[in-house]
Amino acid sequence: MIVDGVTKASFDELVEIETNDGERRLGKVLEVGSGKAVVQVFEGTTGLAITGTRVKFLGKTMVMPVSQELLGRVFDGLGRPNDGLPDPVADKFLDVNGEPMNPQSREYPTSFIQTGVSVIDGMLTLVRGQKLPIFSGSGMSHNILAAQIARQATVVGTNEDFAVVFAAIGVQYSEAQYFKRSLEESGALKRSVLFVNLADDPAIERIITPRVALTVAEYLAFDLGMHVLAILTDMTNYAEALREISAAREEVPGRKGYPGYLYTDLANNYERAGRIKGKNGSVTQMPILSMPADDITHPIPDLTGYITEGQVVLGRDLFRKGIYPPVNVMMSLSRLMKDGVGEGKTRSDHMEVGNQLYDAYSRAQEVRALAEIVGKAGLTGVDLKYLDAGDSFETHFLKQSPDENRNLDETLSRAWDILATLPEGELTKIKDKHIQQYYKGNK
Amino acid sequence: MVAKGRIVWVSGPAVKADGMSSVKMYETVEVGDSKLIGEVIRLTGDVAFIQVYESTSGLKPGEDVSGTGQPLSVLLGPGIIGRIYDGIQRPLDDIAEKSGAFIGRGITTTPVDMKKKYTFTPSVKKGDTILGGSILGAVEETPLLTHKILVPPNYPEATITEIVKEGEYDLEHIIGQASSKNGDKIELKMYHKWPVRKPRPYLERFDPTVPLVTGQRIIDTYFPIAKGGTGAIPGGFGTGKTVTLHQIAKWADSKVVVYIGCGERGNEMTEVLVEFPHLIDPRSQRPLMERTVLVANTSNMPVAAREASIYTGVTMAEYYRDMGYDVVLVADSTSRWAEALREMSGRLEEMPAEEGYPSYLASRLAEFYERAGRIRALGSPDRSGSVTLVGAVSPSGADFTEPVTTHTIRFIKTFWALDTRLAYSRHYPSINWMQSYSGYLEDISKWWKENVSPDWYDLRAESYHILQREDTLKEIVRLLGPEALPDEEKLVLEVARMLKIGILQQNSFDKVDTYCGPAKQLKLVRLMVMFYKEAQKALKEGKSLADIRALPIITTLLKAKFEVTDEEISKLEEIEKQLSDSFKGNIEEVKVSV
Ligand SMILES: Nc1ncnc2c1ncn2[C@@H]1O[C@H](COP(=O)(O)OP(=O)(O)OP(=O)(O)O)[C@@H](O)[C@H]1O
Ligand SMILES: [Mg+2]
């Protein structure tokens, strides 16, 4: 929307729009000059007439009222209550865009979060303050996995529970409902804040949803000292809303019609995670996105992977095989694992065991491909062992039930079970002293 | 006369102001009531297009813009090392002090502490002739670095009329005076400023002949980079660009390291800040932070300052080069810098070339990489220094045919191609040994021959040949299975596997494996080649491949990289002996241990 006769508007300013029939909408200034302002209307421009629509520049950027009272509440995609309860009393008003965290003030994340999910704890360790997305595809079990993590996540040796900030971005009603119910049943709802923009809510509103959610997450973490797990689903819908605005403004597009600044824009959301020196709380982010056509090179997962600290990728093959969680470990990665595990944090063999499992499973996949050509009969001794190790990795380690909470010792012990099926000489990623301590197979 | 104009238009980091006819291109300006820092990037009539280095949220048409008369510059003097700066040389710790854990706007700082006193020791005396670039004396900037005080490169020839005695002075103190040929009086201080977009001059350029030793086997042995050379490391997300650059910054045998985090993660900068003060330089036994300077403009910081960060970094690198030092600059990631260019270009509604990038992308990349080199510095005494430039490239969709990668390849000589498939199978560093190359191999082989071993070049070639053969054989195996190959070729596969695990793979997070000195690199390669030859011989003599594969020495060889440290390299001689014993007599009977 372009507004004429503007004298005092400033860039990024919040705008209130009143339609002919008295309806109020919110927007913000995208560009201003020569008496004109380009305004983005969050609720969409349907029903706005050229004449008669009035615009008020509010002289401030968009803010979110925050306080402890937000816990247990449900808001819409713009941060307005939609649970029928009154507006919470605000402790302060925070700019939803946030400000970049000074790298000098960051505290490097190192505390291991036990999720109770073997594949994550053993091979893709999550640490407090990390941003670790789930890359999924339509119909796969990302919601079940995220909900399981939200329910089970603990930092071993502390009693502090995670507060959950959940942002539904253009998802179906049933998906949002699933999360709410899961939080309710585990008793976590009272330490959660939900933001819901559904598939049939205005698309432009989605630009704001993660921002209000992360503003609240930062407040809970750095003002109230809580450990926050922020789940944003589905960032693909967010990026599509961004593309819509960019196309409407006739900007020069980057790849696949997405704006050239998609990377920067996503980073402005994803970088709102971490810890701060001298403060107690933390924001751990778990964005969920569906890869269009399961394609990891699509701009949305691609740029996300370039920003986040790893990714958990769900695989269609495993999903079809009925394995939950269907995590494709080869494509998945946790970059902060190295800092969250090991002597004094988890166990001194943790990293090496994780690496060896990757290696073994990767060899198993190669052997599987080979077996397709030459048949199982054409395989030699050690190759056969890898074939078995691959199968038992999937059934004994990867696979678990959505309500099964395994502690780290159990996870690592299952890992050593799998390594025990391989000859000792194959364990080239593990130091001799750990082999002596834990290896259960034949020498 | 300084320009004074008014804002007429704002869109993100791009601002137009009129009434700016007296401003110059690339002049630094103060924008708006909160005096945000910006730079003029285009002039049309009296309208200036300005890129603003801070968030423009809340900026209004009608607010003032005033010129400073100065191009965007950095301050060069003692106090830079050990600091972390944003893209326009503002210290992040000072910003934190002023605005807390989140970065505020309109903050003014000085790049270094102007009040700090340093012990200056002059090396010139009254009556000496100085030129632009001459050394006046030195101060100890850190225990690892003697900072040479330089005459600004653009100063004329002059005669020293006064110079202070050895003693403690701060940066604003006039340490000397000189008079030029036409009688102009020149005042000399311990710092000067230099515009970031203008390469610092030098006398002449040399061919790079000395390798930059990084302690990374696949780099040093197979695809080396020379001091003063250029290299690029492209790869999809999570393939190991940042880890490799961190490794270079940690272990490269250069005097100074400039690390630029350009549009990347905040935590990665924090990691360097946390880790480097505790990491000990293997050569000097001092903390690595004492030779490192960081420029951090993370992905969520203002995009225009991201564009500037590269120039800020390389100008500081050239300054230390001019003191006669070897400097290595790593930039992570040049793609984010290119995207910043694209974003500004889009806002200015310039005609885009490929994928929305401006048509001048290639020339900007060329200009940047041209600032690398081994040079003879200006002024006296005679000295040479180098700047080595290494840039990460983050191609969208890991597709190396995209514009930033294809243009970068034209301007660099060492190419480390990261391979997503290798990263998926946890082969780290996932540098693809078939796609990568080094244009310095011949130039630096003399150094290896003289300093490490005469057979370096041959061992490298022999071992690389095994990898090449494996690459061809792999195709056959993929179609027919390994049993289709004769034993001699199966042996090639086996030894290639050993080379991959035992040499090419290197774990940056393992205490021992993180650094592998040249001597150890060479020994490990020699052991592998020896194994291959012994095994070939054994096969010819009728031994079975199965027996060879079952030799315990193989595991020993594969683990030597992390079980044997650089200091106890003699243990590799023992392994060598075990290796030859393994092939003597009945192979099964030999027991091996380290
Ligand atoms: N040499 C290595 N040794 C051990 N692990 C490595 C090595 N190189 C890379 N890795 C692993 O790969 C992960 C990703 O590496 P890195 O962060 O360098 O990727 P990147 O190419 O910089 O990705 P992005 O483009 O997203 O920044 C690391 O966190 C680490 O787990
Ligand atoms: Mg990186």
Side-chain angles (χ1 to χ4, degrees):
Chain A
M1 183 177 95
I2 295 175
V3 186
D4 249 333
V6 178
T7 51
K8 285 218 188 67
S10 63
F11 174 68
D12 219 19
E13 181 175 359
L14 200 61
V15 182
E16 196 178 81
I17 300 123
E18 200 180 320
T19 64
N20 278 336
D21 39 19
E23 186 200 334
R24 273 159 207 267
R25 299 185 190 181
L26 284 178
K28 75 166 189 180
V29 177
L30 292 180
E31 188 178 319
V32 54
S34 327
K36 289 192 175 63
V38 179
V39 173
Q40 164 191 326
V41 186
F42 299 135
E43 292 96 331
T45 47
T46 352
L48 290 189
I50 303 254
T51 51
T53 303
R54 274 195 307 261
V55 172
K56 198 162 126 198
F57 292 90
L58 299 180
K60 58 175 188 192
T61 51
M62 182 153 179
V63 290
M64 173 74 198
V66 292
S67 74
Q68 181 130 26
E69 286 183 26
L70 265 56
L71 292 167
R73 299 288 307 269
V74 183
F75 300 87
D76 73 1
L78 290 178
R80 298 173 298 209
N82 81 348
D83 49 7
L85 298 172
D87 282 358
V89 177
D91 167 31
K92 49 167 131 171
F93 295 84
L94 295 176
D95 186 333
V96 300
N97 292 310
E99 278 174 332
M101 210 187 272
N102 191 326
Q104 172 88 36
S105 308
R106 280 181 183 267
E107 175 91 41
Y108 195 70
T110 53
S111 327
F112 166 69
I113 298 175
Q114 181 179 297
T115 66
V117 179
S118 284
V119 65
I120 295 188
D121 294 350
M123 304 171 77
L124 297 164
T125 304
L126 180 66
V127 299
R128 262 186 192 166
Q130 184 171 11
K131 37 190 182 289
L132 188 65
I134 300 178
F135 288 5
S136 185
S138 49
M140 286 202 277
S141 36
H142 46 267
N143 288 327
I144 303 179
L145 180 59
Q148 183 177 12
I149 293 169
R151 280 194 315 270
Q152 297 181 171
T154 51
V155 170
V156 183
T158 68
N159 300 320
E160 296 164 273
D161 279 320
F162 279 89
V164 178
V165 171
F166 175 76
I169 307 163
V171 302
Q172 290 166 19
Y173 175 75
S174 60
E175 286 178 76
Q177 222 30 41
Y178 170 80
F179 258 98
K180 195 174 161 207
R181 217 169 341 104
S182 156
L183 291 170
E184 223 157 26
E185 280 164 13
S186 65
L189 194 61
K190 58 178 189 301
R191 43 186 171 85
S192 305
V193 188
L194 280 64
F195 295 87
V196 182
N197 165 285
L198 295 177
D200 56 356
D201 287 332
I204 308 300
E205 196 176 296
R206 280 167 211 160
I207 304 293
I208 297 300
T209 312
R211 291 185 163 82
V212 285
L214 292 168
T215 303
V216 170
E218 283 175 345
Y219 171 77
L220 296 176
F222 306 127
D223 281 43
L224 304 186
M226 304 173 87
H227 294 290
V228 181
L229 180 65
I231 297 174
L232 315 169
T233 181
D234 177 327
M235 288 305 283
T236 299
N237 298 332
Y238 170 83
E240 251 138 42
L242 212 59
R243 176 166 69 175
E244 206 176 306
I245 295 168
S246 173
R249 294 185 64 198
E250 296 177 9
E251 293 171 339
V252 179
R255 272 176 82 220
K256 296 214 169 160
Y258 291 93
Y261 50 81
L262 180 60
Y263 174 83
T264 304
D265 188 282
L266 286 173
N268 276 312
N269 290 300
Y270 296 145
E271 276 288 320
R272 295 175 78 175
R275 295 169 60 200
I276 292 178
K277 269 187 217 159
K279 297 210 172 173
N280 201 5
S282 61
V283 177
T284 307
Q285 244 193 66
M286 189 162 268
I288 299 173
L289 59 87
S290 43
M291 300 182 277
D294 290 353
D295 175 11
I296 198 168
T297 67
H298 182 281
I300 301 170
D302 188 50
L303 295 180
T304 299
Y306 273 123
I307 303 163
T308 52
E309 285 144 350
Q311 67 279 342
V312 176
V313 183
L314 303 191
R316 189 67 67 183
D317 283 355
L318 292 162
F319 179 68
R320 285 206 193 99
K321 274 198 203 170
I323 290 173
Y324 171 87
V327 176
N328 178 332
V329 291
M330 302 324 301
M331 298 175 93
S332 303
L333 169 72
S334 165
R335 296 167 195 239
L336 302 187
M337 174 168 180
K338 63 180 169 56
D339 308 290
V341 305
E343 191 93 66
K345 292 173 188 155
T346 56
R347 234 171 67 175
S348 60
D349 61 325
H350 193 161
M351 194 74 210
E352 291 168 21
V353 168
N355 285 340
Q356 194 71 58
L357 275 186
Y358 275 117
D359 192 71
Y361 192 57
S362 150
R363 283 285 293 278
Q365 310 271 52
E366 281 169 30
V367 177
R368 272 183 192 169
L370 195 61
E372 302 263 302
I373 315 161
V374 299
K376 219 171 158 176
L379 298 178
T380 55
V382 69
D383 281 351
L384 281 170
K385 293 209 161 118
Y386 272 108
L387 206 56
D388 292 343
D391 291 341
S392 75
F393 172 81
E394 286 171 9
T395 53
H396 185 66
F397 186 82
L398 182 57
K399 187 173 177 156
Q400 74 183 76
S401 114
D403 54 14
E404 184 183 357
N405 192 349
R406 294 184 191 154
N407 67 29
L408 184 69
D409 274 330
E410 180 178 354
T411 289
L412 291 181
S413 143
R414 282 172 183 260
W416 279 106
D417 290 345
I418 291 153
L419 298 181
T421 64
L422 296 172
E424 189 190 331
E426 293 295 313
L427 308 187
T428 54
K429 309 240 169 185
I430 304 185
K431 297 232 154 107
D432 291 342
K433 62 173 186 190
H434 292 135
I435 292 185
Q436 272 152 31
Q437 197 175 349
Y438 296 107
Y439 180 65
K440 295 174 274 198
N442 309 328
K443 302 261 151 172
Chain B
M1 193 190 78
V2 253
K4 279 240 179 282
R6 262 173 357 111
I7 298 179
V8 292
W9 174 85
V10 187
S11 169
V15 167
K16 272 192 236 177
D18 65 8
M20 301 290 289
S21 49
S22 60
V23 82
K24 291 193 290 287
M25 267 301 273
Y26 298 117
E27 182 170 331
T28 309
V29 292
E30 291 178 343
V31 181
D33 301 340
S34 41
K35 296 195 186 313
L36 307 177
I37 302 170
E39 183 186 9
V40 176
I41 54 171
R42 195 208 281 168
L43 274 170
T44 331
D46 76 336
V47 176
F49 289 76
I50 298 160
Q51 62 175 358
V52 181
Y53 293 126
E54 302 178 74
S55 162
T56 53
S57 191
L59 207 61
K60 274 202 282 298
E63 290 184 33
D64 290 342
V65 176
S66 52
T68 61
Q70 297 296 321
L72 185 68
S73 302
V74 287
L75 186 150
L76 301 168
I80 290 173
I81 299 289
R83 299 298 292 268
I84 176 168
Y85 293 111
D86 75 354
I88 51 172
Q89 214 199 11
R90 291 184 300 185
L92 286 177
D93 49 356
D94 288 353
I95 293 180
E97 212 161 275
K98 292 197 169 133
S99 76
F102 294 89
I103 297 175
R105 291 189 301 159
I107 297 169
T108 45
T109 58
T110 54
V112 296
D113 184 353
M114 304 303 283
K115 300 225 172 66
K116 183 169 172 183
K117 289 199 153 119
Y118 291 91
T119 309
F120 172 74
T121 315
S123 56
V124 292
K125 53 183 192 312
K126 206 165 153 175
D128 283 358
T129 303
I130 53 165
L131 300 161
S134 284
I135 293 176
L136 295 171
V139 304
E140 186 172 293
E141 184 169 7
T142 70
L144 256 183
L145 195 100
T146 304
H147 189 118
K148 309 279 170 63
I149 304 298
L150 304 180
V151 177
N154 51 352
Y155 275 26
E157 183 176 333
T159 310
I160 297 271
T161 53
E162 237 169 280
I163 185 92
V164 294
K165 288 201 291 284
E166 175 168 342
E168 303 229 318
Y169 306 98
D170 66 25
L171 264 56
E172 291 292 6
H173 192 91
I174 294 166
I175 52 160
Q177 295 189 23
S179 104
S180 75
K181 279 203 175 126
N182 49 22
D184 290 341
K185 239 179 94 182
I186 296 170
E187 287 186 341
L188 300 161
K189 293 182 180 176
M190 288 201 280
Y191 76 92
H192 63 268
K193 290 191 174 174
W194 191 262
V196 296
R197 296 186 194 278
K198 190 170 165 192
R200 287 173 64 88
Y202 48 82
L203 270 183
E204 66 174 312
R205 253 167 116 129
F206 304 120
D207 279 338
T209 52
V210 178
L212 181 81
V213 175
T214 65
Q216 311 304 302
R217 290 183 291 270
I218 187 160
I219 294 181
D220 296 346
T221 298
Y222 293 100
F223 310 108
I225 185 165
K227 286 189 173 132
T230 49
I233 179 163
F237 62 81
T239 49
K241 297 179 289 298
T242 304
V243 172
T244 307
L245 295 189
H246 277 195
Q247 289 300 96
I248 293 174
K250 283 176 194 167
W251 307 126
D253 61 342
S254 68
K255 188 82 181 174
V256 174
V257 173
V258 179
Y259 187 103
I260 307 177
C262 172
E264 290 290 311
R265 301 171 184 83
N267 273 331
E268 289 173 350
M269 299 313 296
T270 312
E271 186 180 6
V272 176
L273 279 177
V274 173
E275 212 181 349
F276 277 38
H278 302 289
L279 286 175
I280 301 299
D281 178 17
R283 283 160 286 265
S284 62
Q285 307 304 319
R286 297 288 316 172
L288 287 174
M289 207 60 206
E290 292 177 0
R291 64 163 201 185
T292 309
V293 50
L294 305 175
V295 180
N297 210 256
T298 57
S299 55
N300 55 341
M301 281 159 79
V303 64
R306 193 197 291 171
E307 194 270 335
S309 64
I310 292 271
Y311 300 103
T312 295
V314 75
T315 309
M316 294 194 287
E318 286 172 342
Y319 175 60
Y320 284 97
R321 170 202 73 187
D322 290 348
M323 295 178 201
Y325 294 138
D326 293 317
V327 183
V328 59
L329 177 148
V330 297
D332 188 10
S333 158
T334 59
S335 294
R336 306 303 166 216
W337 166 82
E339 280 169 15
L341 272 189
R342 173 168 74 182
E343 182 166 346
M344 290 315 300
S345 162
R347 303 253 185 202
L348 299 185
E349 296 179 349
E350 292 173 341
M351 199 55 184
E354 309 136 278
E355 290 191 21
Y357 287 103
S359 51
Y360 46 81
L361 171 66
S363 58
R364 294 282 167 89
L365 278 167
E367 281 161 23
F368 170 65
Y369 283 109
E370 262 311 292
R371 291 177 78 166
R374 207 160 73 87
I375 56 99
R376 201 167 132 215
L378 293 179
S380 58
D382 196 20
R383 63 205 184 273
S384 62
S386 68
V387 170
T388 309
L389 291 183
V390 179
V393 185
S394 316
S396 43
D399 171 9
F400 288 6
T401 63
E402 60 87 45
V404 185
T405 318
T406 49
H407 289 310
T408 301
I409 289 174
R410 294 163 51 201
F411 311 122
I412 50 99
K413 277 184 89 173
T414 298
F415 184 67
W416 298 305
L418 293 173
D419 184 333
T420 310
R421 267 173 327 170
L422 288 176
Y424 283 166
S425 60
R426 266 62 186 175
H427 174 112
Y428 291 127
S430 52
I431 295 174
N432 182 307
W433 52 93
M434 288 293 124
Q435 265 174 289
S436 303
Y437 57 79
S438 164
Y440 300 107
L441 195 58
E442 309 297 329
D443 304 333
I444 55 110
S445 69
K446 187 157 164 268
W447 181 92
W448 275 86
K449 282 178 188 163
E450 284 167 7
N451 291 279
V452 187
S453 171
D455 60 351
W456 177 76
Y457 194 85
D458 297 336
L459 283 174
R460 181 201 176 273
E462 276 175 271
S463 55
Y464 191 66
H465 185 62
I466 297 172
L467 292 166
Q468 277 173 314
R469 281 191 66 195
E470 186 235 22
D471 196 58
T472 355
L473 294 175
K474 240 176 25 196
E475 241 347 80
I476 303 174
V477 173
R478 211 175 52 79
L479 296 172
L480 305 170
E483 292 312 310
L485 300 178
D487 277 358
E488 141 66 1
E489 290 186 338
K490 278 190 216 149
L491 177 67
V492 172
L493 296 186
E494 177 65 18
V495 179
R497 183 182 80 90
M498 291 168 63
L499 284 170
K500 284 189 261 179
I501 300 176
I503 307 282
L504 301 182
Q505 293 184 11
Q506 187 167 358
N507 185 354
S508 305
F509 308 121
D510 182 85
K511 258 213 196 90
V512 176
D513 206 19
T514 183
Y515 177 84
C516 184
K520 183 174 155 193
Q521 294 190 25
L522 181 98
K523 281 234 161 72
L524 289 174
V525 174
R526 182 182 287 139
L527 284 172
M528 297 292 180
V529 171
M530 233 180 101
F531 177 89
Y532 179 58
K533 288 184 174 158
E534 291 282 353
Q536 262 182 327
K537 211 162 70 196
L539 272 185
K540 282 208 188 90
E541 286 165 6
K543 298 237 160 71
S544 84
L545 186 66
D547 285 347
I548 294 173
R549 274 196 184 133
L551 286 175
I553 186 74
I554 294 181
T555 314
T556 310
L557 288 175
L558 297 186
K559 291 188 172 189
K561 61 179 184 180
F562 60 74
E563 298 281 5
V564 179
T565 66
D566 265 279
E567 288 73 44
E568 14 169 71
I569 206 160
S570 59
K571 279 199 183 161
L572 291 177
E573 322 271 327
E574 278 166 50
I575 294 181
E576 185 175 331
K577 193 169 165 299
Q578 289 163 14
L579 170 58
S580 54
D581 287 351
S582 294
F583 285 95
K584 279 188 197 134
N586 187 345
I587 29 189
E588 271 141 301
E589 276 170 26
V590 184
K591 281 241 160 62
V592 178
S593 65
V594 186

